Amino acid sequence: MANIILLGPPGAGKGTQAKRLESERRMVQLSTGDMLREAKSSGSEMGHKVAAVMARGELVTDEIVIGLIRERLTEGAEGGFIFDGFPRTLAQADALADLMDEVGQRLDAVIEMQVDDAALVVRITGRFTCGNCGAVYHDETKPTLTPGVCDVCGSGQMQRRADDNADALRTRLMEYYKKTSPLIGYYYAKGCLTSVDGLAEMDVVAASIASALDSAN
Ligand code: ADP
Ligand code: ZN
């Protein structure tokens, strides 16, 4: 059992790897991005408040995301937690350290997924997902076999994220470099950082993460 953070710019593949760790190691993915999108589609007051901020690609307040994480941490996870898209600021990183103390858990590893900016832009601006089963596709690199129809479940409800456009992506990258990338130094100094090449094949990335996990235990 291990608790880990997946750290990296938008489009680095954090979500893909988190899903894999969930099925292979019974870990639980805590994606603040997913939680915020759920709040938005459930029509809650908080979801309403963050929708415009997210669509522009800016970060929502530390208070909101820390609250979301706090709620879920107390539920526990047999195989450990995968923090995906959290923490994104130094204040969030400090808050996470306190929360982990409170629930008697520790952070075992922080995995930085390195991907260059040009690749991120290509990955993100062509991305769409199945609204029914969550399968992820790409206009150029992974189109559906039949246009508009999910290969996995046959649904026709394809979706594009409101912030997967060129303008919002520029803002997301800027937010990442200004506010999140300092966490790389922060966790390096704490002695728990491992960096992996996020542009390698999905299986190779998964293997690097697995070995970082096993050596952390
Ligand atoms: P990405 O693909 O850009 O990594 P996510 O799905 O993790 O995106 O997050 C989407 C958006 O949700 C972010 O651009 C931001 O507006 C908001 N968000 C998610 N996690 C956080 C966080 N930890 N702190 C602040 N804002 C967040
Ligand atoms: Zn589907």
Side-chain angles (χ1 to χ4, degrees):
M1 125 120 198
N3 298 303
I4 64 163
I5 294 173
L6 296 181
L7 189 62
K14 303 184 294 287
T16 305
Q17 295 297 332
K19 291 264 164 352
R20 199 162 160 152
L21 290 166
E22 277 199 314
S23 64
E24 289 171 4
R25 295 183 180 239
R26 313 174 90 197
M27 296 175 80
V28 172
Q29 176 192 21
L30 297 185
S31 159
T32 42
D34 286 349
M35 293 177 203
L36 291 165
R37 278 184 290 277
E38 273 158 32
K40 202 175 82 179
S41 54
S42 78
S44 74
E45 196 184 321
M46 185 270 278
H48 199 74
K49 214 164 90 183
V50 299
V53 174
M54 289 175 72
R56 285 196 300 271
E58 294 164 10
L59 295 188
V60 310
T61 64
D62 289 337
E63 196 189 353
I64 288 177
V65 292
I66 292 166
L68 288 170
I69 291 286
R70 175 182 287 121
E71 257 172 52
R72 299 288 288 274
L73 268 190
T74 52
E75 290 165 16
E78 197 182 329
F81 290 108
I82 309 152
F83 297 97
D84 163 11
F86 180 92
R88 259 177 157 94
T89 63
L90 291 165
Q92 291 176 23
D94 284 334
L96 178 61
D98 292 343
L99 285 172
M100 294 295 272
D101 275 348
E102 277 171 36
V103 296
Q105 298 268 345
R106 64 179 198 130
L107 191 60
D108 298 284
V110 178
I111 296 169
E112 181 210 354
M113 300 181 62
Q114 299 176 322
V115 179
D116 70 66
D117 291 351
L120 297 175
V121 174
V122 172
R123 275 191 185 181
I124 287 188
T125 52
R127 178 163 76 173
F128 62 99
T129 56
C130 170
N132 183 48
C133 76
V136 183
Y137 298 97
H138 191 279
D139 293 323
E140 270 104 55
T141 56
K142 200 190 169 201
T144 52
L145 297 172
T146 311
V149 180
C150 179
D151 297 350
V152 180
C153 76
S155 162
Q157 301 166 256
M158 293 303 167
Q159 300 178 336
R160 278 176 207 268
R161 268 170 55 172
D163 58 352
D164 275 355
N165 60 71
D167 270 356
L169 177 57
R170 210 167 306 126
T171 306
R172 284 156 70 195
L173 281 174
M174 192 58 86
E175 291 281 71
Y176 177 78
Y177 288 115
K178 284 202 303 203
K179 299 174 183 168
T180 308
S181 65
L183 296 182
I184 297 167
Y186 173 101
Y187 286 117
Y188 174 76
K190 282 200 169 192
C192 51
L193 188 78
T194 303
S195 300
V196 305
D197 175 11
L199 281 178
E201 296 271 327
M202 230 156 69
D203 290 347
V204 175
V205 178
S208 317
I209 293 176
S211 77
L213 261 171
D214 294 332
S215 62
N217 278 327

